[in-house]
């Protein structure tokens, strides 16, 4: 029987990431196979989940995937797991605009999964019970079956809240612990390979302060997915190079799996190392090119891409990939020459330029159709007057004037991070296949 639990918070910064990662670590240490998930379009938290559990974390997002897509991804990735642990996003009920769309609550309802609510009780006692009561009654379709009290001042403080809560089960009370925070930068937490917290200490902290058996007893079987078999990988007849290093590291596991299901072999390569892979197409995801910009300017990969693009190789980039594939990137008044696939210049800014979900219609040389995703960047891209843009945006900022997806030859790049729930993966893989067969 498949088991699932959602770890959600009353608001951002309440400690749900620490609690989620700690529960994953403690259960894994017990010898359990824990399948991790993250609500929303987050690339960074899943890297920590994956490192902790030894299984690829999956994103669950009802805007980008729909309710059925969420269930399908959950069931097809669960396999031999003992439990699925889903880390929420923001506050439990925070969704798009004033709705619950894409919220942790919406994902919990889509799965039929119980919620453990993380509450920062610093500075309050009995009032915490009122807060939890409000969350419990706000949406009768969301089951808050347990509570974790975070930043508890003392055992007496925790007991006062337990007494006020009555029948609501408190499965954990965590004392304040500044040693277990994960460092962050402008786009979020540090990646898992930069981890400077003690995973063993985190597991011990959770084991000592959370009733793990109580957590396991709350987990239940999720709602079934549509009666479709999980699609197996096709026999690979085309190879796609995926840039993967410290500069390009934002990828959905479901996107890579979708490439394989369409008959593509994935070959990872590092632009920082100057790799030139023997492939039929390339994918440059987001990441932190700005942190490695001097190395990228000198990279052999950077100097070779323009010729490959002119030859017709399908090349697809997102956000950091867009910045890298432009003519130049200006950071702190210094101009760096980059791949020059597109007649556009990017400038790093100190101010956030765009954040949120996106939806557009793509009409490009290598794929077409509606694409949903999200954007999050601190840069602006100035295109030449004759630049061609492929995405007409219904939602989101894009590059300029409600348009995104600059293209040249068979190369396309956008600020939008796309999700395979809508992205025309078949079209892109077929474009790579046609390039190979020329």
């Amino acid at each position: 029987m498949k088991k699932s639990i959602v770890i959600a918070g009353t608001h951002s910064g309440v400690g749900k990431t620490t609690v989620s990662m700690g529960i994953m670590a403690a259960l894994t240490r017990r010898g359990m196979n824990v399948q991790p998930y993250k609500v929303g379009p987050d690339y960074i938290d899943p890297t920590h989940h994956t490192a902790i559990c030894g299984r690829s974390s999956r994103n669950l997002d009802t805007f980008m995937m729909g309710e059925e897509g969420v269930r399908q991804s959950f069931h097809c990735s669960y396999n031999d797991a003992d439990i699925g642990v889903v880390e929420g996003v923001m506050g439990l009920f925070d969704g798009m605009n004033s709705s619950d769309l894409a919220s942790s609550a919406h994902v919990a309802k889509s799965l039929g999964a119980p919620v453990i609510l993380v509450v920062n009780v610093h500075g309050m006692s009995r009032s915490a019970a009122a807060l939890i009561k409000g969350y419990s009654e706000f949406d009768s379709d969301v089951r808050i079956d347990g509570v974790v009290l975070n930043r508890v001042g003392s055992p007496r403080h925790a007991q006062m809240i337990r007494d006020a809560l009555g029948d609501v089960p408190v499965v954990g009370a965590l004392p304040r612990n500044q040693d277990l925070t994960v460092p962050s930068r402008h786009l979020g937490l540090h990646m898992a390979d930069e981890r400077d917290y003690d995973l063993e200490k985190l597991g011990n902290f959770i084991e000592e302060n959370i009733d793990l058996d109580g957590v396991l007893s709350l987990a239940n079987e999720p709602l079934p997915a549509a009666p479709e078999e999980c699609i197996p990988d096709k026999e690979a007849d085309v190879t796609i190079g995926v840039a993967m290093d410290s500069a390009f590291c934002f990828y959905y596991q479901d996107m890579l799996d979708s490439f394989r299901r369409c008959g593509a072999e994935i070959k990872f390569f590092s632009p920082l190392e100057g790799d030139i892979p023997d492939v039929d197409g390339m994918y440059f995801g987001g990441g932190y090119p700005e942190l490695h910009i001097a190395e990228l300017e000198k990279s052999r990969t950077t100097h070779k891409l323009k010729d490959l693009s002119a030859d017709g190789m399908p090349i697809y980039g997102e956000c950091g990939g867009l910045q890298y594939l432009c003519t130049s990137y200006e950071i702190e008044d210094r101009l760096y020459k980059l791949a020059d696939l597109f007649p556009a210049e990017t400038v790093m800014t100190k101010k956030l330029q765009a954040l949120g979900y996106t939806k557009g219609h793509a009409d490009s040389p290598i794929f077409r159709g509606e694409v949903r995703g999200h954007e999050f960047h601190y840069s602006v891209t100035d295109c030449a007057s004759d630049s061609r843009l492929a995405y007409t945006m219904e939602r989101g900022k894009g590059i300029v004037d409600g348009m995104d997806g600059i293209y040249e030859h068979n190369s396309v790049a956008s600020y939008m991070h796309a999700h395979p729930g809508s992205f025309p993966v078949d079209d892109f893989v077929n474009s790579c296949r046609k390039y190979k067969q020329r």
Side-chain angles (χ1 to χ4, degrees):
M1 182 182 295
K2 296 178 179 178
K3 294 283 190 178
S4 64
I5 197 83
V6 175
I7 312 296
T10 54
H11 58 279
S12 292
V14 76
K16 63 181 175 294
T17 296
T18 300
V19 172
S20 299
M21 287 165 47
I23 288 175
M24 292 174 190
L27 293 179
T28 299
R29 195 166 62 178
R30 284 189 173 190
M32 297 181 68
N33 288 323
V34 180
Q35 175 56 50
Y37 301 90
K38 172 66 181 178
V39 177
D42 187 303
Y43 290 110
I44 301 174
D45 286 355
T47 69
H48 293 273
H49 299 172
T50 299
I52 290 167
C53 300
R55 301 170 66 105
S56 295
S57 183
R58 310 292 174 133
N59 295 75
L60 303 176
D61 189 296
T62 49
F63 171 76
M64 298 194 298
M65 307 166 70
E67 293 182 6
E68 188 55 45
V70 163
R71 287 190 287 271
Q72 202 74 39
S73 180
F74 182 94
H75 285 280
C76 288
S77 58
Y78 192 97
N79 297 320
D80 61 344
D82 298 307
I83 186 171
V85 178
V86 184
E87 180 189 343
V89 63
M90 299 177 65
L92 174 60
F93 298 106
D94 296 326
M96 289 178 61
N97 302 324
S98 58
S99 75
D100 75 343
L101 178 61
S103 67
S104 301
H106 196 186
V107 168
K109 288 189 289 187
S110 298
L111 292 175
V115 172
I116 293 178
L117 186 68
V118 181
V119 186
N120 181 349
V121 297
H122 175 67
M124 61 179 169
S125 57
R126 189 167 181 260
S127 296
L131 180 68
I132 294 164
K133 180 179 174 64
Y135 274 79
S136 299
E137 296 181 356
F138 184 74
D139 185 341
S140 60
D141 292 328
V142 178
R143 293 172 34 219
I144 298 178
D145 285 359
V147 175
V148 171
L149 308 177
N150 194 20
R151 300 194 69 200
V152 171
S154 66
R156 181 173 177 272
H157 182 202
Q159 191 58 51
M160 290 168 63
I161 298 172
R162 290 177 192 270
D163 292 344
L165 279 172
D167 295 335
V168 179
V170 176
V171 296
L174 307 181
R176 299 165 199 164
N177 191 329
Q178 295 301 317
D179 295 337
L180 296 176
T181 55
V182 183
S184 63
R185 57 169 67 93
H186 60 290
L187 295 183
L189 299 178
H190 284 189
M191 302 293 286
D193 60 2
E194 304 171 276
R195 188 177 71 216
D196 50 10
Y197 56 88
D198 190 324
L199 191 56
E200 186 71 16
K201 187 181 291 187
L202 176 60
N204 290 339
F205 180 67
I206 294 299
E207 192 88 48
E208 292 165 3
N209 296 288
I210 287 183
D211 177 9
L212 291 176
D213 291 330
V215 170
L216 292 172
S217 71
L218 296 177
N220 72 348
E221 187 170 11
L223 295 173
E228 300 176 4
E229 291 186 11
C230 299
I231 303 171
D233 295 351
K234 282 185 181 178
E235 184 176 351
D237 63 349
V238 65
T239 304
I240 294 176
V242 175
M244 182 69 79
D245 55 25
S246 297
F248 305 100
C249 47
F250 290 175
Y251 296 98
Y252 294 122
Q253 183 62 42
D254 281 352
M255 181 70 94
L256 303 181
D257 289 347
S258 294
F259 285 154
R260 294 185 178 104
R261 285 195 291 269
C262 291
E265 175 189 353
I266 301 297
K267 181 179 287 189
F268 294 110
F269 70 99
S270 171
L272 286 174
E273 297 295 327
D275 295 343
I276 306 291
D278 182 13
V279 294
D280 309 304
M282 291 189 185
Y283 175 20
F284 292 84
Y288 299 103
E290 64 275 12
L291 300 182
H292 308 275
I293 195 69
E295 297 164 83
L296 289 172
E297 184 180 42
K298 299 173 184 176
S299 168
R300 195 166 69 97
T301 310
T302 305
H303 298 153
K304 183 66 176 176
L305 287 174
K306 189 176 181 70
D307 289 340
L308 292 173
S309 175
D311 188 53
M313 176 182 284
I315 299 175
Y316 171 57
E318 295 176 334
C319 201
L322 163 68
Q323 296 158 359
Y324 176 59
L325 299 175
C326 286
T327 300
S328 63
Y329 197 174
E330 183 179 326
I331 301 177
E332 296 181 347
D333 298 324
R334 179 174 170 183
L335 194 69
Y336 296 88
K337 298 293 185 180
L338 293 179
D340 194 25
L341 269 62
F342 309 115
E345 300 174 340
T346 298
V347 179
M348 183 77 170
T349 65
K350 295 181 179 179
K351 180 181 176 182
L352 179 65
Q353 297 297 321
L355 171 62
Y357 284 108
T358 54
K359 178 182 176 183
H361 184 85
D363 185 8
S364 81
I366 55 176
F367 52 78
R368 292 175 174 79
E370 181 183 291
V371 181
R372 294 187 179 212
H374 77 286
E375 57 187 359
F376 182 16
H377 57 92
Y378 283 79
S379 69
V380 293
T381 296
D382 182 22
C383 301
S385 58
D386 59 349
S387 295
R388 294 175 292 178
L389 296 164
Y391 298 178
T392 302
M393 304 300 290
E394 293 182 36
R395 178 186 176 93
K397 187 174 181 180
I399 294 175
V400 64
D401 298 333
M403 301 292 291
D404 201 356
I406 190 169
Y407 69 94
E408 190 81 15
H409 307 298
N410 286 329
S411 300
V412 182
S414 65
Y415 271 124
M416 184 193 302
H417 296 270
H419 188 278
S422 63
F423 184 78
V425 176
D426 268 334
D427 285 357
F428 179 66
V429 175
N430 282 332
S431 295
C432 297
R433 194 170 281 123
K434 289 176 183 176
Y435 175 74
K436 179 183 179 179
Q437 294 170 350
R438 291 184 317 168

